[in-house]
Each structure stands twice: as structure tokens, then as C-alpha cells.
Amino acid sequence: MAGSLRASLGDSGALTDKPDFALVGVLRVPELESSPWRAIYKRVLMALGILLLAAFVVYIDRDGYSDTQDGELSFLDSFYYATVSLSTTGYGDIAPVSASARLVNILVITPLRVLFLILLVGTTLSVLTERSRQAFKIQRWRRSVRNHTVVIGFGTKGRTAVDAMLGDGVSASDIVVVDTDQMVLDTASAMGLVTVHGSATKSDVLRLTGAQHASAIIVATNRDDTAVLVTLTAREIAPKAKIVAAIREAENTHLLRQSGADSVVVSSETAGRLLGIATSTPSVVEMIEDLLTPEAGFAIAEREVERDEVGGSPRHLTDIVLGVVRGGKLFRVGTPEVDAVEASDRLLYIRRVGD
């Protein structure tokens, strides 16, 4: 069944087998934004360094050069020779002969010429080298990516999930977004996220995200059937990753579970419950939104048990504990199994943001 499914998804390994330069435009690693004036300043310094090096080389070998004026080259003459040589300038009937004229040529004419070349050619060079830089960044990223989170779908659900992770302190470089819409991927890239353009129902696209090395995969597609197919493909590629999927209808929950999802969020029913609660107790909805928003107020978090808390009741701790995770299973506070916390437990508690 897995083999037929792979064939139906078009798993030919086409993307992962391609060289890094061929992935430019499919896989995009964001770059740090820098001021254009800073880039021009760096280019001017590099040009000046090359000019000084050339002048120094000419001066060392000055006996091999002749000067029609006095037959001997000074360092100023060497510097002048370097400027007219590196700037590809040739003098014919008009040429500077005095030291002052050559000094003006060095200090004024050549910098203006270099600045002109930078403004004229700089943009073209930047475009030509962009592909090479991206190919290098892709190569380096693919070699080092580990324990990251893959977000499949960058619609409202996917974007909100990313915002929540960033609010919890997850680095943008540890999040990879997959989508078929280039416009939303541009938005994700502007946030500093690595992006992959393609359908996550294809296993070679998921492999390109490094899903086989990911610690978590979030499935936030717009259709339930797509979510099932993506989850099935992701579980085959990443058997150890934690897969969290969102669906619209609760009747599809068992399909997601069978496909390998560790957690399933029913978006339509969750929203419906909040709407129903809001009609009678709107303050409850406000508090729930506060708990789900990590930027301000309160948030639900998870932590290890401290040494002085071992053996105590989770109901009598300083923090407000909602549940205890033991052996990978969640127990609500008040159940007999967790009357006393153990050192290996993890506590789900309410924390004040900023603590």
C-alpha cells in the first residue's frame, strides 16, 4: 500500500536528487536585510584595497617600469599607474604630466569613476550573484538542519501557529514553511522563515524540508482529505517526529489518528464551542484567548518537576497546575494516578508571561 501511495504521489525523488543550484526558487533560505549604502561602502573599501595592493606590487617592481617624464617611478607614480590600469582607462593625446594633476586624478577622478561603475554595474552583479548565494545557503542549510519544525500550509491556521511558536521563543530559523502559494511564502520569508514551494502531499517536497530530521510537523492545510494524505506521507518519512494536524470536521479525527497524527485539533468545533460560550459568559472566552496568546497576560506552559516538589500534590504547588504528563500520557489534576508528582513527570501549568 505504501508503495502504491508513493507512486500515486509522484515520489520520484526529483527534488532531493537535484543539485543545490537547481533548488533556487523552490527552497528559499532568508537573508538578513542590510542597508544598500552599507553594501556600497563595503564595495568601495574592497576596490580601494585592490587598488593599494596593485600600487604596492608596481612600486616593488618599479625598476621594470619607465616614466616618460623623469624615468623613475615614485610611489605616487605607481599608484597613478594602478588607477588607470584597474579602471581600464587609456590615455592618448591628453595625459596628466604634473604631480598635482596625477594626485587630482587619484583622489577625485578615479573615486568618481569607481562610484560610477558601482552604481552602473552593482545592481547587475547583485542579480547575477543572488542565485549563487542562495545555492550556497541552501547547501549549508540542508547539511545543518536538525530538530526543526515543519509547518505545512501558511494560511490563517499555519500563520497563527508560527506566531505562537515565535511568541514562545522558538527561533525563526528553526521553522520551515511549505505552501503552494508563492505570495504567502514571500510573507513567511519576510518573517525570517525558511520556505519550500510545493505540495506537501509529495514525499520529495517533504524531504526537501528536512522532515526526516524534524522534531515536529504541523499540518495546517485547508482540506481534511489533504491533511490525511499529508499526515500519512509525513509519518512515513519522519517516524519519530511529533505530528500535529488541524481538521475542520470531528468525524475525520480517527483518519488523522490512523494516518499517524499524535494530536488532532478540530478547528470548526473549537470555534463553535467558543461561540456558544460567548453568548452566556463572554469573559470565559476572553480568558481562553488570553491563555492561547503568549504575548501578554497568562499562558499555558510545560515544565519539569523541581526537586523540592517531588512527592507533593500537584494541587498544592505554587503554580496553578492543570495536568501532569507521565510516560507520555496526560493526567488531569485530581485523578488518583497523579496524587503525588514524580521526578520524571512534566507539569502543565499557567504562567504569567514575562516570568
Side-chain angles (χ1 to χ4, degrees):
M1 179 178 179
S4 60
L5 177 61
R6 189 183 299 110
S8 66
L9 295 179
D11 182 16
S12 59
L15 290 177
T16 51
D17 292 340
K18 287 183 178 180
D20 294 317
F21 69 86
L23 298 175
V24 177
V26 178
L27 174 59
R28 182 178 179 184
V29 181
E31 297 188 51
L32 295 177
E33 296 293 336
S34 59
S35 169
W37 291 109
R38 180 181 179 87
I40 293 176
Y41 174 72
K42 291 172 64 176
R43 291 177 184 177
V44 170
L45 288 182
M46 291 178 62
L48 181 60
I50 295 174
L51 186 61
L52 288 172
L53 178 62
F56 184 70
V57 171
V58 172
Y59 184 71
I60 291 177
D61 193 29
R62 58 188 177 278
D63 294 337
Y65 294 83
S66 62
D67 189 346
T68 58
Q69 299 300 315
D70 54 17
E72 183 179 350
L73 264 70
S74 65
F75 186 76
L76 178 62
D77 296 327
S78 300
F79 202 87
Y80 162 74
Y81 177 81
T83 59
V84 298
S85 299
L86 295 184
S87 60
T88 66
T89 303
Y91 292 103
D93 55 341
I94 300 178
V97 293
S98 66
S100 60
R102 291 183 174 182
L103 185 61
V104 169
N105 188 276
I106 292 171
L107 297 179
V108 179
I109 304 302
T110 298
L112 290 177
R113 185 180 298 115
V114 172
L115 180 60
F116 174 77
L117 291 174
I118 290 174
L119 295 176
L120 183 65
V121 183
T123 303
T124 303
L125 291 177
S126 179
V127 172
L128 292 176
T129 58
E130 171 65 21
R131 192 175 186 88
S132 298
R133 291 202 308 268
Q134 267 294 314
F136 175 74
K137 291 172 69 69
I138 288 172
Q139 181 185 49
R140 185 173 58 181
W141 179 82
R142 293 182 68 186
R143 289 178 178 176
S144 61
V145 63
R146 294 291 186 278
N147 299 321
H148 56 295
T149 300
V150 179
V151 179
I152 301 170
F154 202 63
T156 302
K157 292 180 291 186
R159 189 179 295 109
T160 304
V162 169
D163 290 340
M165 287 188 290
L166 295 177
D168 284 336
V170 178
S171 173
S173 60
D174 291 330
I175 302 175
V176 182
V177 173
V178 185
D179 206 291
T180 57
D181 190 335
Q182 186 59 52
M183 292 184 63
V184 301
L185 291 181
D186 291 340
T187 302
S189 183
M191 297 170 60
L193 310 176
V194 178
T195 62
V196 174
H197 183 266
S199 173
T201 58
K202 298 181 179 180
S203 59
D204 57 332
V205 172
L206 282 181
R207 292 184 187 278
L208 193 60
T209 68
Q212 61 273 27
H213 305 300
S215 61
I217 299 175
I218 296 176
V219 182
T221 58
N222 293 326
R223 294 171 55 96
D224 288 5
D225 53 350
T226 304
V228 172
L229 197 55
V230 169
T231 302
L232 189 63
T233 307
R235 179 53 73 199
E236 182 181 10
I237 294 174
K240 296 182 179 180
K242 182 176 182 179
I243 299 179
V244 181
I247 56 175
R248 294 177 179 272
E249 303 298 334
E251 62 186 15
N252 296 322
T253 301
H254 71 287
L255 295 177
L256 267 297
R257 295 284 188 183
Q258 292 176 358
S259 299
D262 297 291
S263 300
V264 179
V265 178
V266 184
S267 58
S268 60
E269 289 198 357
T270 301
R273 291 191 187 98
L274 292 177
L275 290 172
I277 294 173
T279 60
S280 56
T281 53
S283 57
V284 173
V285 177
E286 184 176 349
M287 177 57 68
I288 293 175
E289 290 179 346
D290 186 9
L291 292 173
L292 295 177
T293 306
E295 289 82 4
F298 295 95
I300 300 177
E302 182 177 329
R303 66 172 177 84
E304 297 179 350
V305 176
E306 298 179 2
R307 182 178 300 179
D308 58 354
E309 295 175 338
V310 176
S313 171
R315 291 176 293 183
H316 300 153
L317 301 182
T318 303
D319 295 322
I320 300 176
V321 179
L322 303 177
V324 178
V325 180
R326 178 176 298 172
K329 185 177 180 180
L330 174 63
F331 295 92
R332 292 176 176 80
V333 171
T335 57
E337 291 85 353
V338 291
D339 280 343
V341 296
E342 301 176 358
S344 59
D345 292 340
R346 296 188 63 85
L347 304 179
L348 294 180
Y349 72 106
I350 296 178
R351 69 174 176 88
R352 184 181 297 275
V353 175
D355 290 351

